[in-house]
Amino acid sequence: MKKILLASKVILGAGLIIIFLNSCKNETKQEDPKEVAEDANEAKFDSIDNVEDDSEFLVDQAEINLAEIEIGKLAQQKSTNTEVKKFGKMLVDEHTKSASEVSALAKAKNFTLPSSLTEEGQEEYNKLNEKSGLDFDKKFADMMIDGHQKAIDKLQKAAKDAHDEDVKLWATNNIAGLTSHLEHAKLLKQNLDKK
């Protein structure tokens, strides 16, 4: 009887330590909105890999839109260059529209999306916010080229590989718009490099 009592105390003690450690770990860091959305989608569609791939694509698109909107606002506030400000406004307008479309598509498919800037998006925003003047403008143009190229690659992959026809169609329809943004960003960079 003493052995059973002792064993149960040891097990109870170990359980409390694990609970304590987990609660401490959870309090120190808020989970990234992208991870929360991906985890929710994984739980919903655990047995259907095709659906999970499509949900990850829409999560990525939501993440891109949230970051581009915030960076566009920052460009309008911080830049003194008229072209950079115009590009920033265009980003906000176009990616707000895109965010609305992605949200509607995700809702129709029962996918969860991040609702606020992700850790990576916040990091990029902070890096840009540290700059000023021409350095800000050049960093902004570089970010737009890099970001739009990556976004186009994801759209092209989804246009080819998405399993859901609505997701595939949305990706296909948005390649031209982002390609236009990329070309605009390259032109902006060329003009800024002359200064």
Side-chain angles (χ1 to χ4, degrees):
M1 188 66 173
K2 284 183 181 179
K3 286 182 181 179
I4 293 173
L5 190 57
L6 181 61
S8 63
K9 284 182 179 180
V10 169
I11 291 169
L12 182 62
L16 290 173
I17 289 171
I18 290 169
I19 291 169
F20 174 75
L21 291 175
N22 280 337
S23 68
C24 289
K25 183 177 83 175
N26 291 341
E27 287 174 14
T28 57
K29 188 178 178 191
Q30 186 177 355
E31 209 171 343
D32 184 39
K34 181 177 181 180
E35 289 176 20
V36 171
E38 286 174 342
D39 290 347
N41 290 329
E42 235 175 80
K44 279 187 236 173
F45 307 110
D46 200 22
S47 61
I48 317 168
D49 284 341
N50 301 346
V51 174
E52 192 178 324
D53 292 344
D54 290 348
S55 72
E56 284 178 11
F57 166 72
L58 289 183
V59 166
D60 285 344
Q61 293 308 303
E63 176 185 27
I64 290 166
N65 286 327
L66 290 165
E68 296 294 304
I69 290 166
E70 292 308 311
I71 287 172
K73 288 176 184 175
L74 185 63
Q76 290 177 80
Q77 294 164 6
K78 276 192 93 166
S79 181
T80 55
N81 182 300
T82 309
E83 290 306 307
V84 171
K85 285 181 175 283
K86 280 185 193 173
F87 196 95
K89 181 176 179 350
M90 182 270 302
L91 281 179
V92 172
D93 295 345
E94 295 288 323
H95 286 278
T96 299
K97 178 179 174 268
S98 176
S100 176
E101 292 171 1
V102 169
S103 179
L105 185 54
K107 188 175 183 180
K109 304 299 174 187
N110 197 24
F111 297 159
T112 303
L113 298 178
S115 57
S116 60
L117 207 54
T118 62
E119 289 174 7
E120 187 178 332
Q122 189 63 55
E123 214 173 274
E124 289 296 307
Y125 179 92
N126 292 343
K127 283 181 193 171
L128 181 61
N129 197 23
E130 291 169 358
K131 307 281 184 191
S132 61
L134 187 57
D135 287 341
F136 174 90
D137 295 339
K138 286 183 175 185
K139 175 74 173 167
F140 172 78
D142 287 340
M143 285 175 73
M144 292 303 97
I145 291 168
D146 184 52
H148 281 88
Q149 186 58 62
K150 287 177 182 170
I152 290 166
D153 292 345
K154 288 180 183 187
L155 284 173
Q156 288 171 335
K157 183 176 180 344
K160 192 175 68 141
D161 298 337
H163 299 281
D164 184 283
E165 287 305 314
D166 294 332
V167 172
K168 189 179 276 197
L169 181 63
W170 186 87
T172 302
N173 290 342
N174 281 276
I175 293 170
L178 282 189
T179 303
S180 170
H181 293 187
L182 176 61
E183 294 309 313
H184 189 164
K186 287 178 179 176
L187 201 60
L188 184 63
K189 181 176 171 41
Q190 283 177 359
N191 292 335
L192 290 170
D193 285 345
K194 292 175 186 172
K195 295 184 179 204

